[in-house]
Amino acid sequence: MKNILTAFLLILYSIASAQDMKGMKMPNNGSPKQTQTIYTCPMHPEIQSGKPGNCPKCGMKLVPEKAKATIPKPDQMKMPKKDTSKKNDDMEDMGDMDMGDNSTTMENIKKAKLNLGSINTVSSNLPPRTVRYDLYIADTTVTYGKKTKRAIAVNGQIPMPTLTFTEGDTALIYVHNKLNEETSLHWHGLFLPNKMDGVPFLTQMPIKPHSTYIYKFPIVQHGTHWYHSHSELQEQIGMYGAFIMNKRKEWDIPTIPVVISEWTDMKPEEVHRSLKNANDWFAIKKGTTQSYAEAIRTGHFKTKINNEWKRMNAMDVSDVYYDTFLINGKNQNHQPQFKAGDKVRLRIANGGASDYFWLTYSGGKITVVATDGNDVEPVEVDRLIIAVSETYDVVVTVPENKSYEFLITPEDRTKSASLWLGKGEKVPAQKLPKLKYFAGMKMMNDMMDMSGNMIEMKGMKMQNQVMDMNTVMYPEVTGEENPKAKSKKTEMAGMQMPNDKSMAADNPDIVTLN
């Protein structure tokens, strides 16, 4: 029976391989001379293309590189051979590479500064002082998902209170542990005495149940940071919050701390156990199992067979299924106090346990002004991705007297959370399209042999972010999953269906920061 099954799979594999050969085009060695225009990415100059498009790493629009006087080598259009020159053997040898210019980036910075305009500042009238907070940690219950579950609140709220200081102050934080278990607090990204860092059994002993612990340290920096529990898995059930350190002279602009997080009705310990089991339960919950029916429908039957043959689980992006995503403790967070023309500074911290999040805005460009507490030259982007524990400061503008959506979307694009700025008619942001899981699966299969070992690819160095594996899965960058199988809806030329807010796959002008 085993031999019959093996033979059957081999036959299916052969059929799929033959189908893949049908659309293959062989290069024309007798083609005329190549064009001299080379397109490159301002952020990734090593990316080179003979035609306009988007960077496969970051999605930015490729720009023309300065024309060269050199003549293309005649062997560039030939099939590669095993004994090719060293140029193809080592991508790290870039000594002679023309890295292009950063004119597009500099233009972006100039435009961002111009659009920001002159922002007034306000100086702190108070001398450096000791600022005290009392934090009371206690059990609570919440219904963020479909069930009422246990959580941990600090001063009766989730997330924990935003702690605000001014550079030069001294932080004095009394932590009152009302739990029946140990706890601790870690101040993420802060420069402080080692004994105040808040890591149990490393820089301090845990804070015992029904006891008080005092953290005291100088504020010697500025920027957006956050803090969280460093005990067990308490962070995942509510113990996270924003930690803001203002400059002595700070922007006089409306500012909102934004803490992004996830919520699952499963106990954190159960999530941990499921991850160690390495099963497809979370993929089933998210509807991303990549079935045989979907594989056939999208033309990836061979990829599915390869995946099964190598006993690989379904292609995954974000490991855990979450019941909801939260912005400052709410899935839909409304801030109606803003009017047309207002500029709003969002101090964003990703307090999630496992998700990267895409940030997009329906009111126009997002201007990035700081990252991880450090000021940067402002740049305007259409979207950016924020990693776990990362922080960004961005400025957005409310164009009209309407309510504009600042959309938070996890990397797996299964759900989202929204921050609405302004009052009036709602202007939703474009939804990110479903990922091309089979494209990612195919890339993994091409990089791995039947034994699950990585294949040495000539010229490929798997470090220093040489390749962004997720990019092939983004329809808005690399096109639809199966463009030949268009529905009647998409074939109706020139017609835009109502309420279709998905991001266009053929948009060549998306400016991305990641």
Side-chain angles (χ1 to χ4, degrees):
M1 184 65 186
K2 182 177 180 181
N3 292 334
I4 295 174
L5 180 60
T6 303
F8 177 69
L9 288 174
L10 287 173
I11 292 171
L12 291 177
Y13 184 87
S14 300
I15 294 172
S17 298
Q19 289 177 343
D20 279 359
M21 293 291 291
K22 286 184 178 181
M24 185 177 293
K25 293 182 180 180
M26 297 300 293
N28 183 5
N29 289 338
S31 59
K33 63 179 182 179
Q34 298 173 317
T35 177
Q36 291 292 318
T37 304
I38 301 297
Y39 294 85
T40 186
C41 173
M43 299 299 294
H44 300 95
E46 69 273 15
I47 299 299
Q48 306 253 327
S49 174
K51 58 183 181 179
N54 293 344
C55 174
K57 288 187 176 182
C58 66
M60 288 187 68
K61 186 177 180 180
L62 300 181
V63 297
E65 193 178 47
K66 288 183 178 179
K68 299 180 183 179
T70 57
I71 299 175
K73 295 182 180 180
D75 61 348
Q76 285 182 339
M77 295 299 292
K78 295 181 179 179
M79 296 294 288
K81 300 178 181 179
K82 290 185 178 181
D83 58 346
T84 51
S85 63
K86 185 181 178 183
K87 183 182 76 172
N88 291 331
D89 290 338
D90 192 353
M91 291 184 67
E92 290 184 333
D93 185 11
M94 296 183 177
D96 298 326
M97 178 176 286
D98 184 353
M99 301 303 287
D101 61 64
N102 287 325
S103 59
T104 302
T105 302
M106 296 307 298
E107 288 175 8
N108 188 317
I109 292 173
K110 291 179 181 178
K111 184 178 179 182
K113 288 181 176 180
L114 181 64
N115 291 338
L116 274 177
S118 177
I119 298 179
N120 295 330
T121 58
V122 56
S123 299
S124 176
N125 295 323
L126 298 172
R129 60 199 177 107
T130 298
V131 179
R132 173 172 171 167
Y133 284 95
D134 284 84
L135 304 179
Y136 296 87
I137 304 173
D139 276 314
T140 190
T141 57
V142 296
T143 313
Y144 287 137
K146 298 177 181 178
K147 302 176 182 177
T148 299
K149 305 297 291 185
R150 182 220 175 193
I152 300 177
V154 176
N155 293 6
Q157 68 179 69
I158 297 175
M160 298 190 287
T162 297
L163 306 185
T164 305
F165 301 89
T166 301
E167 194 171 7
D169 287 346
T170 297
L172 180 62
I173 304 170
Y174 282 70
V175 179
H176 309 279
N177 183 11
K178 302 298 182 181
L179 301 172
N180 293 322
E181 60 188 76
E182 296 174 342
T183 190
S184 61
L185 286 178
H186 170 66
W187 321 98
H188 201 98
L190 268 64
F191 305 141
L192 38 63
N194 189 55
K195 64 181 180 180
M196 293 287 110
D197 196 43
V199 181
F201 302 108
L202 183 63
T203 64
Q204 69 171 77
M205 294 304 293
I207 304 173
K208 295 296 182 180
H210 307 287
S211 67
T212 297
Y213 190 88
I214 301 174
Y215 292 96
K216 185 177 182 179
F217 49 87
I219 302 297
V220 297
Q221 64 197 105
H222 60 262
T224 301
H225 292 275
W226 69 298
Y227 68 114
H228 56 88
S229 170
H230 221 293
S231 297
E232 298 295 335
L233 302 175
Q234 294 173 349
E235 175 196 321
Q236 298 183 36
I237 55 174
M239 288 192 66
Y240 48 82
F243 196 104
I244 307 299
M245 294 172 287
N246 291 317
K247 303 175 186 175
R248 301 301 299 178
K249 180 183 283 189
E250 191 59 80
W251 277 0
D252 187 13
I253 181 174
T255 302
I256 302 176
V258 176
V259 181
I260 307 169
S261 61
E262 316 119 336
W263 180 264
T264 172
D265 285 341
M266 291 180 68
K267 293 182 177 180
E269 294 79 11
E270 284 295 304
V271 173
H272 186 226
R273 183 185 64 81
S274 295
L275 289 174
K276 292 178 70 174
N277 286 344
N279 56 42
D280 286 338
W281 173 241
F282 289 134
I284 293 171
K285 294 278 283 182
K286 289 190 281 190
T288 59
T289 51
Q290 300 112 58
S291 66
Y292 275 100
E294 186 181 358
I296 294 171
R297 186 173 65 252
T298 58
H300 284 286
F301 182 68
K302 177 186 174 183
T303 301
K304 179 65 176 177
I305 291 293
N306 270 332
N307 205 59
E308 296 289 345
W309 186 263
K310 296 175 184 179
R311 293 176 291 182
M312 294 173 63
N313 289 340
M315 183 68 189
D316 196 10
V317 176
S318 300
D319 293 327
V320 181
Y321 168 80
Y322 290 101
D323 290 274
T324 191
F325 297 95
L326 306 173
I327 298 175
N328 295 344
K330 299 177 180 179
N331 180 260
Q332 300 293 310
N333 192 306
H334 296 270
Q335 300 291 331
Q337 66 269 30
F338 303 110
K339 61 184 184 301
D342 283 351
K343 286 181 168 57
V344 185
R345 180 179 189 170
L346 305 178
R347 291 182 175 267
I348 307 168
N350 183 356
S354 66
D355 276 287
Y356 282 46
F357 290 94
W358 283 106
L359 313 178
T360 53
Y361 180 54
S362 64
K365 297 286 188 179
I366 300 171
T367 304
V368 180
V369 296
T371 177
D372 289 331
N374 301 297
D375 293 341
V376 298
E377 291 283 5
V379 292
E380 290 184 342
V381 297
D382 295 298
R383 64 181 189 176
L384 67 152
I385 194 167
I386 183 170
V388 175
S389 299
E390 195 173 16
T391 71
Y392 275 106
D393 286 31
V394 304
V395 176
V396 295
T397 301
V398 179
E400 301 178 34
N401 287 319
K402 298 179 181 179
S403 184
Y404 292 88
E405 183 180 27
F406 192 87
L407 184 65
I408 311 294
T409 308
E411 177 71 314
D412 63 14
R413 305 183 177 189
T414 52
K415 297 181 180 180
S416 62
S418 302
L419 173 67
W420 297 90
L421 302 176
K423 184 179 181 180
E425 176 189 349
K426 284 190 173 182
V427 182
Q430 291 179 324
K431 306 300 180 185
L432 296 176
K434 181 181 178 181
L435 292 172
K436 302 190 297 182
Y437 283 95
F438 282 108
M441 186 190 296
K442 183 178 186 302
M443 174 177 278
M444 286 298 298
N445 282 331
D446 291 344
M447 294 167 55
M448 191 177 295
D449 62 23
M450 288 296 180
S451 299
N453 300 314
M454 296 297 291
I455 298 173
E456 281 291 332
M457 302 172 70
K458 186 169 291 186
M460 182 64 70
K461 300 295 181 182
M462 299 297 292
Q463 75 268 2
N464 297 330
Q465 296 182 344
V466 169
M467 180 173 62
D468 183 351
M469 296 184 60
N470 282 1
T471 302
V472 300
M473 302 172 69
Y474 298 154
E476 69 275 15
V477 174
T478 54
E480 299 175 12
E481 178 78 69
N482 189 9
K484 293 182 180 179
K486 290 183 178 179
S487 65
K488 292 182 179 180
K489 170 185 171 182
T490 58
E491 288 177 350
M492 299 173 70
M495 179 173 291
Q496 183 174 356
M497 302 301 290
N499 301 323
D500 184 4
K501 294 294 184 180
S502 62
M503 186 171 286
D506 58 350
N507 186 351
D509 298 320
I510 299 175
V511 180
T512 304
L513 179 64
N514 63 349

